[in-house]
Each structure stands twice: as structure tokens, then as C-alpha cells.
Amino acid sequence: MPASMTPDTASHADPAARWRLFTGLFLGAAGLAGLLVLAFVAALDPYGLRAAPGRAQGPIMDLNQRFMYPQVVRGGAYDAAVFGTSTARLLDPRALDRAFGGRFANLAMNAATPWEQTQLARLFLARAPATAVLFGLDASWCEADADRKRLTFRAFPPWLYREPLAWTAVFHQWNQQSVEIAGRALLHRLGRMPARIRSDGYEVFTPPESRYDAARAAAHIHGDAPRLKERPEADPATPALPWLDELLGLAPTEARKIVAFMPVNVVAQPEPGSAAAAREAACKARVAEIARRHGALAVDFRIPSVVTRDDTLYWDALHYRLPVADRIVSALRRAAEAGRDDPDGFYRVLAAPRAEP
């Protein structure tokens, strides 16, 4: 130290060096904290990246099924699955097991677009051979712009649907959402928080039946805008149906294949003579043709019937009550066995597999 420099002045001699030291320590601490967070998330594995046959999936701890259901597929516990939107979510896999055999998972997702449903179904069909697939169809499959409306406001993680799953997928979990879900997974392991959704994907998302209010339900049902009566289109396009064609082609020949238009209240069905009715009729005809080509059963519940005309069987125009779900499963079984329309008019059989000789 020069004779003219006291210890006090030496401590202030190089502020740049002190700032470099502080910055280095800060960045090092931040980097270490980030790695610890990533290690925490990777250890809890909230999206089931390590799920595989023989290695069970983790608990479903988030309500965005788009992030949760790939692990149900990769876990390999189920060889049959339901795909669709919330109109198919009340179909209980255990009831479907009893009706058709196999081990069903319900992989229907809230407001899922046909494109999103296709990504999940492709992942499922790319795994172990399926014994059964059930596609619950809605009006979105018949829309002219279905190929352009691929996503909703809900986040969709394409990296979770790649097969095989890339090792870099772990870094997609480096965010606040993943930390929150990992925290829930930890609480579940500690017995402090139940799983959000059953391990087979099934959830009764409607209110308890004991809280059903017919007047309130009617207000929801009939609060929709009036249906339009445009002139029918000559050749309505259905760009999503080639995806359905592809998916049925990916299913094993011996697998049971079912396509069903889900029953919505009549106020949500197109008015006869309207353009929407013409589009839907053409769409159903094409679905029937696709089903016949792949030996699939195609059933149409989306018609005026004793169920869809009864407001007391619905919470709103799209969502039926829990007992209707059991009725749908039973009806699908009858349709598969008889191959004919329901005598009571609950459903129409659009296509039936040929009986084996």
C-alpha cells in the first residue's frame, strides 16, 4: 500500500471492482436458486415426464388437462380412451370398462378444439396398441374454419405431445406455473392435498346433483341467442374430418372404434332449414362414411329426443346431468350390439360395423 494511502481510502479505491464482485455474487446466487428450483420441479415431475409402462404417472394436480393428460397416456395403465370436450367428460371410464371391456381413461378436455383432441389421440395411438377408442364429437368438428381455430385461450404445450419426449422437455418446466403444480404434488405426497382429477382423467365437473335448480338451469339453457335461419350451403366444408379419418386409421384393426355426437339440449342444435342444419347434416353424413370405412360404430345423440328436449336433464344448453352420462354409456352398448336406431329415439346409428361371419 502506498505510504499516502490509508486503509480507509484503500477500501474505496476501486468501486468498479466492488461492483464486479457484487454482480458476480448476485448472478451466482440467482443461478444457483434457479437450478434449485429446476431440480425441485424435476424431482416432483408435475407433468409426468418420467411416466412410462412400469413407472406410474403422478397425481393430476392441475385443472388444465392439456398439461396433465399426456402423462396418463405415457403411464401405460390404460388401453382404451375417450376423446372430446366437456360434453364427453362425464362418461365414467369404469362404466365404459363394464360395458366394453378394456381399461378406459377419459381424456376429454374442456373446450378442446378438434386439433387439440387430435394431438392427444395421436399420442395415445402411438403408444401400446389400443383396444378401444371413443370420440365424442361436437359442432366444432363440422365448422368450416376448424383447421384455423386450433387453440383457445388455454395454454397448450406442444412439447408434451412429442413422441418420443425430448430430454429438453425438463427446461419447459422452468416457470412459475410448474413450480406451483410441483408444490401441489408435494402437498399431495404429504397427504395435505387431494388430486384435482382422478388418475384415469375422470372428474364430475358439474355441481352436485343435490344442488340442481331447474329454474336456474332453464335460465341458462334459454339464455342463448336465437338460432339463425340462413339458406343452406351447397357444399359445406369440414376440414377437421380428415383428422378423424386419420385417427381411426391409426387404431388397430381389431380395436373397438366408436364415434358419437354428444347430446346437447335442442336449443343448442341447429334449427331445421338453416345453414347450420345443412352443414351439420352433411358433416354427419361424412362422419358416417368415415366410420364405415374403418369399421367403426357411429352414433348420433345430437338430435331432438326425449332427453335433449327435457330441460330438467341439463345444467345449461351443452352440459347434461350425471344420470344422462350413464344413459349414454348404456345406449352405446345397445347400439354396438343391435346396430339399429334406438326405439325410443334417444339416438340414431349412423354407421354400424359389419357383423363377423
Side-chain angles (χ1 to χ4, degrees), residues 50-66:
R50 296 192 295 274
R55 178 177 289 176
Q57 68 185 67
I60 301 178
M61 302 305 298
D62 191 64
L63 295 180
N64 187 344
Q65 302 113 318
R66 293 154 176 81

Side-chain angles (χ1 to χ4, degrees), residues 200-284:
D200 59 5
Y202 179 67
E203 178 195 19
V204 179
F205 66 95
T206 53
E209 285 292 319
S210 59
R211 288 168 48 192
Y212 183 77
D213 183 328
R216 186 175 181 180
H220 284 295
I221 293 168
H222 296 282
D224 297 338
R227 293 170 291 179
L228 301 178
K229 301 180 180 180
E230 307 96 335
R231 293 178 60 187
E233 300 171 65
D235 185 22
T238 49
L241 293 188
W243 301 337
L244 179 64
D245 194 356
E246 175 198 1
L247 293 173
L248 291 175
L250 291 174
T253 304
E254 64 277 10
R256 183 185 295 273
K257 297 177 276 288
I258 303 173
V259 179
F261 283 92
M262 292 288 99
V264 297
N265 190 281
V266 287
V267 304
Q269 297 176 28
E271 189 167 333
S274 67
R279 168 176 297 285
E280 191 161 293
C283 179
K284 290 177 178 180

Side-chain angles (χ1 to χ4, degrees), residues 33 91 100 187 192 251 253 272 283 343:
L91 302 183
F100 298 109
L187 290 174
R192 303 297 298 275
T253 304
C283 179

Side-chain angles (χ1 to χ4, degrees), residues 15-295:
R18 293 203 324 276
W19 274 108
R20 285 195 295 272
L21 176 62
F22 172 78
T23 302
L25 291 174
F26 177 80
L27 292 176
L32 178 60
L35 290 175
L36 289 174
V37 168
L38 182 61
F40 170 74
V41 174
L44 272 299
D45 195 19
Y47 304 128
L49 303 187
R50 296 192 295 274
R55 178 177 289 176
Q57 68 185 67
I60 301 178
M61 302 305 298
D62 191 64
L63 295 180
N64 187 344
Q65 302 113 318
R66 293 154 176 81
F67 284 82
M68 295 288 103
Y69 285 172
Q71 66 178 308
V72 179
V73 173
R74 289 194 166 94
Y78 306 101
D79 59 11
V82 178
F83 304 95
T85 67
S86 57
T87 61
R89 287 192 65 203
L90 290 182
L91 302 183
D92 192 336
R94 294 170 184 172
L96 289 167
D97 292 348
R98 294 190 293 270
F100 298 109
R103 301 181 306 279
F104 270 86
N106 190 319
L107 303 179
M109 303 183 292
N110 291 343
T113 66
W115 184 85
E116 289 175 320
Q117 296 173 50
T118 298
Q119 306 317 298
L120 186 55
R122 280 176 180 160
L123 180 65
F124 178 78
L125 292 167
R127 307 293 291 183
T131 61
V133 288
L134 195 168
F135 295 95
L137 303 189
D138 291 306
S140 58
W141 282 88
C142 300
E143 292 177 351
D145 56 353
D147 55 339
R148 298 192 298 275
K149 296 193 303 188
R150 298 193 171 200
L151 299 174
T152 70
F153 67 90
R154 297 170 177 83
F156 184 89
W159 54 274
L160 264 177
Y161 291 77
R162 296 188 183 121
E163 188 65 16
L165 195 61
W167 68 270
T168 53
V170 68
F171 294 105
H172 287 282
Q173 303 178 111
W174 207 355
N175 53 60
Q176 181 179 345
Q177 172 185 297
S178 300
V179 174
E180 291 177 359
I181 301 172
R184 295 174 199 162
L186 177 60
L187 290 174
H188 178 79
R189 290 190 181 186
L190 297 174
R192 303 297 298 275
M193 180 179 283
R196 294 291 186 93
I197 298 175
R198 210 167 74 187
S199 60
D200 59 5
Y202 179 67
E203 178 195 19
V204 179
F205 66 95
T206 53
E209 285 292 319
S210 59
R211 288 168 48 192
Y212 183 77
D213 183 328
R216 186 175 181 180
H220 284 295
I221 293 168
H222 296 282
D224 297 338
R227 293 170 291 179
L228 301 178
K229 301 180 180 180
E230 307 96 335
R231 293 178 60 187
E233 300 171 65
D235 185 22
T238 49
L241 293 188
W243 301 337
L244 179 64
D245 194 356
E246 175 198 1
L247 293 173
L248 291 175
L250 291 174
T253 304
E254 64 277 10
R256 183 185 295 273
K257 297 177 276 288
I258 303 173
V259 179
F261 283 92
M262 292 288 99
V264 297
N265 190 281
V266 287
V267 304
Q269 297 176 28
E271 189 167 333
S274 67
R279 168 176 297 285
E280 191 161 293
C283 179
K284 290 177 178 180
R286 291 175 184 175
V287 167
E289 189 274 328
I290 291 170
R292 283 191 289 270
R293 190 182 322 131
H294 294 285

